[in-house]
Coordinates of all heavy atoms in Angstrom, one line a residue:
M3 N 0.9 -1.2 0.0 CA 0.0 0.0 0.0 C 0.9 1.2 0.0 O 1.8 1.4 0.8 CB -0.9 0.0 1.2 CG -1.8 1.2 1.4 SD -2.9 1.4 0.0 CE -3.8 -0.1 0.1
N4 N 0.7 2.1 -1.0 CA 1.5 3.3 -1.0 C 1.0 4.4 0.0 O -0.1 4.4 0.4 CB 1.7 3.9 -2.4 CG 0.5 4.5 -2.9 OD1 0.0 5.5 -2.4 ND2 0.0 4.0 -4.0
I5 N 1.9 5.3 0.4 CA 1.7 6.3 1.4 C 0.5 7.2 1.0 O -0.3 7.6 1.8 CB 3.0 7.0 1.7 CG1 3.9 6.1 2.5 CG2 2.7 8.3 2.6 CD1 5.3 6.6 2.6
L6 N 0.5 7.6 -0.3 CA -0.5 8.5 -0.7 C -1.9 8.0 -0.5 O -2.8 8.6 0.0 CB -0.3 8.9 -2.2 CG -1.3 10.0 -2.7 CD1 -1.2 11.3 -2.0 CD2 -1.1 10.2 -4.2
A7 N -2.1 6.7 -0.9 CA -3.4 6.1 -0.8 C -3.8 6.0 0.7 O -5.0 6.2 1.0 CB -3.4 4.7 -1.4
R8 N -2.8 5.7 1.5 CA -3.1 5.5 2.9 C -3.5 6.9 3.5 O -4.5 7.0 4.3 CB -1.8 5.0 3.6 CG -2.1 4.3 4.9 CD -0.8 3.8 5.5 NE -0.5 2.5 4.9 CZ -1.0 1.3 5.4 NH1 -1.8 1.4 6.4 NH2 -0.7 0.2 4.9
A9 N -2.8 7.9 3.1 CA -3.1 9.3 3.6 C -4.5 9.7 3.2 O -5.4 10.2 3.9 CB -2.1 10.3 3.1
L10 N -4.9 9.4 1.9 CA -6.2 9.8 1.4 C -7.3 9.0 2.1 O -8.3 9.5 2.4 CB -6.2 9.5 -0.1 CG -5.6 10.5 -1.1 CD1 -5.7 10.0 -2.5 CD2 -6.3 11.8 -0.9
G11 N -7.0 7.7 2.3 CA -8.0 6.9 2.9 C -8.4 7.4 4.3 O -9.5 7.2 4.7
H12 N -7.4 7.9 5.0 CA -7.7 8.3 6.3 C -8.2 9.7 6.5 O -8.3 10.2 7.6 CB -6.5 8.0 7.2 CG -6.4 6.5 7.5 ND1 -5.7 5.6 6.7 CD2 -7.0 5.8 8.5 CE1 -5.9 4.4 7.1 NE2 -6.6 4.5 8.2
L13 N -8.5 10.3 5.3 CA -9.3 11.6 5.4 C -10.7 11.3 6.0 O -11.4 12.1 6.5 CB -9.5 12.2 4.0 CG -8.2 12.8 3.5 CD1 -8.5 13.3 2.1 CD2 -7.7 13.9 4.3
V14 N -11.1 10.0 5.8 CA -12.3 9.5 6.4 C -12.0 8.7 7.6 O -11.1 7.8 7.5 CB -13.1 8.7 5.4 CG1 -14.5 8.4 5.9 CG2 -13.1 9.3 4.0
S15 N -12.6 8.9 8.8 CA -12.2 8.1 9.9 C -12.9 6.7 9.9 O -13.9 6.5 9.2 CB -12.6 8.8 11.2 OG -14.0 8.8 11.3
C16 N -12.3 5.8 10.6 CA -12.8 4.4 10.6 C -14.3 4.5 11.2 O -15.2 3.8 10.8 CB -12.0 3.5 11.6 SG -10.4 3.1 10.8
R17 N -14.5 5.4 12.1 CA -15.8 5.5 12.7 C -16.9 5.9 11.7 O -18.0 5.4 11.7 CB -15.7 6.6 13.8 CG -16.6 6.6 14.9 CD -16.3 7.8 15.7 NE -17.6 8.2 16.3 CZ -17.7 8.3 17.6 NH1 -16.8 7.9 18.4 NH2 -18.9 8.7 18.1
E18 N -16.5 6.9 10.9 CA -17.3 7.4 9.8 C -17.7 6.2 8.8 O -18.8 6.1 8.4 CB -16.6 8.5 9.1 CG -17.3 9.1 7.9 CD -18.4 10.1 8.2 OE1 -18.5 10.4 9.4 OE2 -19.0 10.6 7.3
V19 N -16.6 5.5 8.5 CA -16.8 4.4 7.5 C -17.7 3.3 8.1 O -18.6 2.8 7.4 CB -15.4 3.8 7.1 CG1 -15.6 2.5 6.4 CG2 -14.7 4.8 6.2
T20 N -17.5 3.0 9.4 CA -18.3 2.0 10.0 C -19.8 2.4 10.0 O -20.7 1.6 9.7 CB -17.9 1.8 11.4 OG1 -16.5 1.6 11.5 CG2 -18.6 0.6 12.1
R21 N -20.0 3.7 10.2 CA -21.4 4.2 10.2 C -22.0 4.1 8.8 O -23.1 3.6 8.6 CB -21.4 5.7 10.7 CG -22.8 6.2 10.9 CD -22.7 7.7 11.4 NE -22.0 8.5 10.5 CZ -22.5 9.1 9.5 NH1 -23.8 8.9 9.2 NH2 -21.8 9.9 8.7
L22 N -21.2 4.5 7.8 CA -21.7 4.5 6.4 C -22.0 3.1 6.0 O -23.0 2.8 5.4 CB -20.6 5.1 5.5 CG -20.6 6.6 5.4 CD1 -19.4 7.0 4.5 CD2 -21.9 7.2 4.9
V23 N -21.1 2.1 6.3 CA -21.3 0.7 5.9 C -22.5 0.2 6.6 O -23.3 -0.6 5.9 CB -20.0 -0.1 6.3 CG1 -20.3 -1.6 6.2 CG2 -18.9 0.3 5.4
S24 N -22.8 0.5 7.8 CA -24.0 0.0 8.5 C -25.2 0.5 7.8 O -26.3 -0.2 7.8 CB -24.0 0.4 10.0 OG -22.7 0.1 10.6
Q25 N -25.2 1.7 7.3 CA -26.3 2.3 6.7 C -26.6 1.8 5.3 O -27.7 2.0 4.8 CB -26.2 3.9 6.6 CG -26.3 4.5 7.9 CD -26.0 6.0 7.8 OE1 -25.6 6.5 6.8 NE2 -26.3 6.7 8.9
L26 N -25.7 1.1 4.7 CA -25.9 0.5 3.4 C -27.1 -0.4 3.3 O -27.7 -0.5 2.3 CB -24.6 -0.2 2.9 CG -23.4 0.6 2.6 CD1 -22.2 -0.3 2.2 CD2 -23.7 1.7 1.5
A27 N -27.4 -1.0 4.4 CA -28.5 -1.9 4.5 C -29.8 -1.2 4.3 O -30.8 -1.7 3.8 CB -28.5 -2.7 5.7
E28 N -29.9 0.1 4.7 CA -31.1 0.8 4.8 C -31.3 1.8 3.6 O -32.4 2.0 3.1 CB -31.2 1.7 6.0 CG -31.5 0.8 7.2 CD -30.5 1.1 8.4 OE1 -30.3 2.2 8.7 OE2 -30.0 0.1 8.9
R29 N -30.1 2.3 3.1 CA -30.3 3.2 1.9 C -29.0 3.1 1.1 O -27.9 2.9 1.7 CB -30.5 4.6 2.4 CG -29.4 5.2 3.3 CD -29.5 6.7 3.5 NE -28.4 7.2 4.3 CZ -27.2 7.5 3.8 NH1 -27.0 7.4 2.5 NH2 -26.2 8.0 4.5
P30 N -29.1 3.3 -0.2 CA -27.9 3.3 -1.0 C -27.0 4.6 -0.7 O -27.6 5.6 -0.4 CB -28.4 3.4 -2.4 CG -29.8 3.9 -2.3 CD -30.3 3.6 -0.9
P31 N -25.7 4.4 -0.8 CA -24.8 5.6 -0.5 C -24.9 6.6 -1.6 O -25.2 6.2 -2.8 CB -23.5 5.0 -0.4 CG -23.5 3.7 -1.3 CD -25.0 3.3 -1.2
T32 N -24.7 7.9 -1.3 CA -24.6 8.9 -2.4 C -23.2 8.6 -3.1 O -22.4 7.9 -2.6 CB -24.5 10.3 -1.8 OG1 -23.3 10.4 -1.0 CG2 -25.8 10.6 -0.9
R33 N -23.1 9.3 -4.2 CA -21.9 9.1 -5.0 C -20.7 9.5 -4.2 O -19.6 8.9 -4.2 CB -22.0 10.0 -6.3 CG -21.0 9.7 -7.3 CD -21.2 10.7 -8.4 NE -22.4 10.4 -9.1 CZ -22.4 10.2 -10.4 NH1 -21.3 10.2 -11.1 NH2 -23.5 9.9 -11.1
F34 N -20.8 10.6 -3.5 CA -19.7 11.1 -2.6 C -19.4 10.1 -1.5 O -18.2 9.9 -1.2 CB -20.1 12.5 -2.1 CG -19.0 13.1 -1.3 CD1 -17.7 13.3 -1.8 CD2 -19.2 13.6 0.0 CE1 -16.7 13.9 -1.1 CE2 -18.2 14.2 0.8 CZ -16.9 14.3 0.2
E35 N -20.4 9.6 -0.9 CA -20.2 8.6 0.2 C -19.5 7.4 -0.4 O -18.5 6.8 0.3 CB -21.5 8.2 0.8 CG -22.0 9.3 1.8 CD -23.4 9.0 2.2 OE1 -24.1 8.2 1.6 OE2 -23.8 9.6 3.2
R36 N -19.9 6.9 -1.5 CA -19.3 5.8 -2.1 C -17.8 6.0 -2.4 O -17.0 5.2 -2.2 CB -20.0 5.4 -3.4 CG -19.9 3.9 -3.6 CD -20.6 3.4 -4.9 NE -21.4 4.4 -5.6 CZ -22.7 4.3 -5.8 NH1 -23.4 3.3 -5.3 NH2 -23.3 5.2 -6.6
F37 N -17.5 7.2 -2.9 CA -16.2 7.6 -3.2 C -15.3 7.6 -2.0 O -14.2 7.0 -1.9 CB -16.2 9.0 -3.8 CG -14.8 9.6 -4.0 CD1 -13.9 9.1 -5.0 CD2 -14.4 10.7 -3.3 CE1 -12.7 9.6 -5.2 CE2 -13.1 11.3 -3.5 CZ -12.3 10.7 -4.4
R38 N -15.8 8.2 -0.9 CA -15.1 8.2 0.4 C -14.9 6.8 0.9 O -13.8 6.5 1.4 CB -15.7 9.1 1.4 CG -15.7 10.6 0.9 CD -16.0 11.5 2.1 NE -17.3 11.2 2.7 CZ -17.6 11.7 3.9 NH1 -16.9 12.5 4.5 NH2 -18.8 11.3 4.4
L39 N -15.9 6.0 0.8 CA -15.8 4.6 1.3 C -14.7 3.9 0.5 O -13.9 3.2 1.2 CB -17.2 3.9 1.0 CG -18.2 3.9 2.1 CD1 -19.5 3.2 1.6 CD2 -17.7 3.2 3.4
S40 N -14.8 4.0 -0.8 CA -13.8 3.2 -1.5 C -12.4 3.6 -1.3 O -11.5 2.8 -1.2 CB -14.1 3.2 -3.0 OG -14.1 4.5 -3.5
L41 N -12.2 4.9 -1.1 CA -10.9 5.4 -0.7 C -10.4 4.8 0.6 O -9.3 4.3 0.7 CB -10.9 6.9 -0.5 CG -10.6 7.8 -1.7 CD1 -10.6 9.3 -1.2 CD2 -9.3 7.5 -2.3
H42 N -11.3 4.8 1.6 CA -10.9 4.3 2.9 C -10.7 2.8 2.9 O -9.7 2.3 3.5 CB -11.9 4.7 3.9 CG -11.5 4.4 5.3 ND1 -10.8 5.2 6.1 CD2 -11.7 3.3 6.1 CE1 -10.5 4.6 7.3 NE2 -11.1 3.4 7.3
L43 N -11.6 2.1 2.2 CA -11.5 0.7 2.2 C -10.2 0.2 1.6 O -9.7 -0.9 1.9 CB -12.7 0.0 1.6 CG -14.1 0.3 2.3 CD1 -15.2 -0.4 1.6 CD2 -14.0 -0.3 3.7
A44 N -9.8 1.0 0.6 CA -8.5 0.6 -0.1 C -7.3 0.7 0.8 O -6.3 0.0 0.7 CB -8.3 1.4 -1.3
A45 N -7.4 1.6 1.9 CA -6.3 1.9 2.7 C -6.4 1.2 4.1 O -5.4 1.0 4.8 CB -6.2 3.4 2.9
C46 N -7.6 0.7 4.5 CA -7.8 0.2 5.8 C -8.3 -1.2 5.8 O -9.4 -1.5 5.4 CB -8.7 1.2 6.6 SG -9.1 0.6 8.2
D47 N -7.4 -2.1 6.3 CA -7.8 -3.5 6.3 C -8.9 -3.8 7.3 O -9.8 -4.7 7.0 CB -6.6 -4.4 6.7 CG -5.5 -4.4 5.7 OD1 -5.8 -4.0 4.5 OD2 -4.3 -4.7 6.0
A48 N -8.9 -3.2 8.4 CA -10.0 -3.4 9.4 C -11.4 -3.1 8.8 O -12.3 -3.9 8.9 CB -9.7 -2.6 10.6
C49 N -11.5 -1.9 8.2 CA -12.8 -1.6 7.6 C -13.1 -2.4 6.4 O -14.3 -2.7 6.2 CB -12.8 -0.1 7.3 SG -12.8 0.9 8.8
A50 N -12.1 -2.8 5.6 CA -12.4 -3.6 4.5 C -13.0 -5.0 4.9 O -13.9 -5.5 4.3 CB -11.1 -3.8 3.7
A51 N -12.4 -5.5 6.0 CA -12.9 -6.8 6.6 C -14.4 -6.6 7.1 O -15.2 -7.4 6.9 CB -12.0 -7.3 7.7
F52 N -14.6 -5.5 7.7 CA -15.9 -5.2 8.3 C -16.9 -5.0 7.1 O -18.0 -5.6 7.2 CB -15.9 -3.8 9.1 CG -17.2 -3.4 9.6 CD1 -17.9 -4.1 10.6 CD2 -17.9 -2.3 9.1 CE1 -19.1 -3.7 11.1 CE2 -19.1 -1.9 9.6 CZ -19.7 -2.6 10.6
E53 N -16.5 -4.4 6.1 CA -17.4 -4.2 4.9 C -17.8 -5.5 4.3 O -18.9 -5.8 3.9 CB -16.7 -3.3 3.9 CG -17.7 -2.6 2.9 CD -18.1 -3.5 1.8 OE1 -17.4 -4.4 1.4 OE2 -19.3 -3.3 1.3
R54 N -16.8 -6.4 4.2 CA -17.0 -7.8 3.6 C -18.1 -8.5 4.5 O -19.0 -9.2 3.9 CB -15.7 -8.6 3.5 CG -15.0 -8.3 2.2 CD -14.0 -9.4 1.9 NE -13.0 -9.5 3.0 CZ -11.9 -8.7 3.1 NH1 -11.7 -7.8 2.2 NH2 -11.1 -8.8 4.1
Q55 N -17.9 -8.4 5.8 CA -18.8 -9.1 6.7 C -20.3 -8.6 6.5 O -21.2 -9.3 6.5 CB -18.4 -8.9 8.1 CG -17.2 -9.8 8.4 CD -17.1 -10.0 9.9 OE1 -17.4 -9.1 10.7 NE2 -16.6 -11.1 10.4
M56 N -20.4 -7.2 6.4 CA -21.7 -6.6 6.3 C -22.3 -7.0 5.0 O -23.5 -7.2 4.9 CB -21.6 -5.1 6.4 CG -21.3 -4.6 7.8 SD -22.5 -5.1 9.0 CE -23.9 -3.9 8.6
A57 N -21.5 -7.1 3.9 CA -22.0 -7.5 2.6 C -22.6 -8.9 2.7 O -23.6 -9.2 2.1 CB -20.9 -7.4 1.5
L58 N -21.8 -9.8 3.3 CA -22.3 -11.2 3.5 C -23.6 -11.2 4.3 O -24.6 -11.9 3.9 CB -21.3 -12.0 4.3 CG -20.1 -12.5 3.5 CD1 -19.1 -13.2 4.4 CD2 -20.6 -13.5 2.4
L59 N -23.7 -10.4 5.3 CA -24.9 -10.3 6.1 C -26.1 -9.8 5.3 O -27.2 -10.4 5.4 CB -24.6 -9.4 7.3 CG -25.5 -9.5 8.5 CD1 -25.2 -10.8 9.2 CD2 -25.2 -8.4 9.5
R60 N -25.8 -8.7 4.6 CA -26.9 -8.2 3.7 C -27.4 -9.2 2.7 O -28.6 -9.4 2.5 CB -26.4 -7.0 2.9 CG -26.4 -5.7 3.7 CD -26.3 -4.5 2.8 NE -25.2 -4.5 1.9 CZ -24.0 -4.1 2.2 NH1 -23.7 -3.7 3.4 NH2 -23.0 -4.1 1.3
E61 N -26.4 -10.0 2.2 CA -26.8 -11.0 1.2 C -27.7 -12.1 1.8 O -28.7 -12.5 1.2 CB -25.5 -11.6 0.6 CG -25.7 -12.6 -0.5 CD -26.5 -12.1 -1.7 OE1 -26.4 -10.9 -2.0 OE2 -27.1 -13.0 -2.3
S62 N -27.3 -12.5 3.0 CA -28.1 -13.6 3.6 C -29.4 -13.1 4.1 O -30.4 -13.8 4.1 CB -27.3 -14.3 4.8 OG -26.8 -13.3 5.6
M63 N -29.5 -11.8 4.5 CA -30.8 -11.2 4.8 C -31.7 -11.2 3.6 O -32.9 -11.4 3.7 CB -30.6 -9.7 5.3 CG -29.9 -9.6 6.7 SD -31.0 -10.1 8.0 CE -32.0 -8.6 8.2
R64 N -31.1 -10.8 2.5 CA -31.9 -10.7 1.3 C -32.5 -12.1 0.9 O -33.6 -12.2 0.5 CB -31.0 -10.1 0.1 CG -31.8 -9.8 -1.1 CD -31.1 -8.8 -2.0 NE -29.7 -9.1 -2.1 CZ -28.7 -8.2 -2.0 NH1 -29.0 -7.0 -1.8 NH2 -27.4 -8.6 -2.1
R65 N -31.6 -13.1 1.0 CA -32.1 -14.5 0.7 C -33.2 -14.9 1.7 O -34.1 -15.6 1.3 CB -30.9 -15.4 0.8 CG -30.3 -15.6 -0.6 CD -29.2 -16.7 -0.5 NE -28.1 -16.2 -1.2 CZ -26.8 -16.6 -0.9 NH1 -26.6 -17.4 0.0 NH2 -25.8 -16.1 -1.6
Y66 N -33.0 -14.5 2.9 CA -34.0 -14.9 3.9 C -35.3 -14.3 3.6 O -36.4 -15.0 3.8 CB -33.4 -14.5 5.3 CG -34.4 -14.8 6.4 CD1 -34.4 -16.2 6.9 CD2 -35.1 -13.9 7.1 CE1 -35.3 -16.5 7.9 CE2 -35.9 -14.2 8.1 CZ -36.0 -15.5 8.6 OH -36.8 -15.8 9.6
R67 N -35.3 -13.1 3.2 CA -36.6 -12.4 2.9 C -37.3 -12.9 1.7 O -38.5 -12.9 1.6 CB -36.4 -10.9 2.7 CG -36.1 -10.2 4.0 CD -36.3 -8.7 3.9 NE -35.6 -7.9 4.8 CZ -34.5 -7.2 4.6 NH1 -34.1 -7.1 3.3 NH2 -33.9 -6.5 5.5
S68 N -36.6 -13.3 0.7 CA -37.2 -13.7 -0.6 C -37.7 -15.1 -0.6 O -37.3 -15.9 0.2 CB -36.2 -13.5 -1.7 OG -35.1 -14.2 -1.6
Ligands
LIG4 ZN1 -10.8 2.1 8.7

């Protein structure tokens, strides 16, 4: 991971990203939110792992409902 990507990613805090990722289940992110998310997820392993888990959870919720 290069230093620039890491610096850019951390313009958004982990806390902010966790909140945004949790909200994905309820509403789609705006273009700007998606941009900030992808920047941060590229730089932060912890949030990337959290996002993957939430995606799995959303997927299984969707299957459960249908
Ligand atoms: Zn993070």
Side-chain angles (χ1 to χ4, degrees):
M3 178 58 62
N4 72 60
I5 288 170
L6 183 63
R8 204 175 274 276
L10 279 175
H12 284 87
L13 289 176
V14 192
S15 68
C16 290
R17 205 183 148 118
E18 174 84 3
V19 167
T20 310
R21 189 177 60 81
L22 282 175
V23 167
S24 309
Q25 285 175 352
L26 290 179
E28 287 128 47
R29 61 169 183 86
T32 65
R33 193 184 289 240
F34 182 54
E35 285 170 344
R36 210 182 354 243
F37 172 68
R38 293 197 304 167
L39 268 176
S40 59
L41 268 184
H42 185 88
L43 294 180
C46 179
D47 291 341
C49 289
F52 177 69
E53 201 280 331
R54 273 196 301 276
Q55 284 198 330
M56 289 300 285
L58 280 176
L59 201 66
R60 279 200 304 279
E61 181 59 27
S62 49
M63 291 287 278
R64 191 159 41 226
R65 264 187 227 149
Y66 180 73
R67 284 199 203 110
S68 60

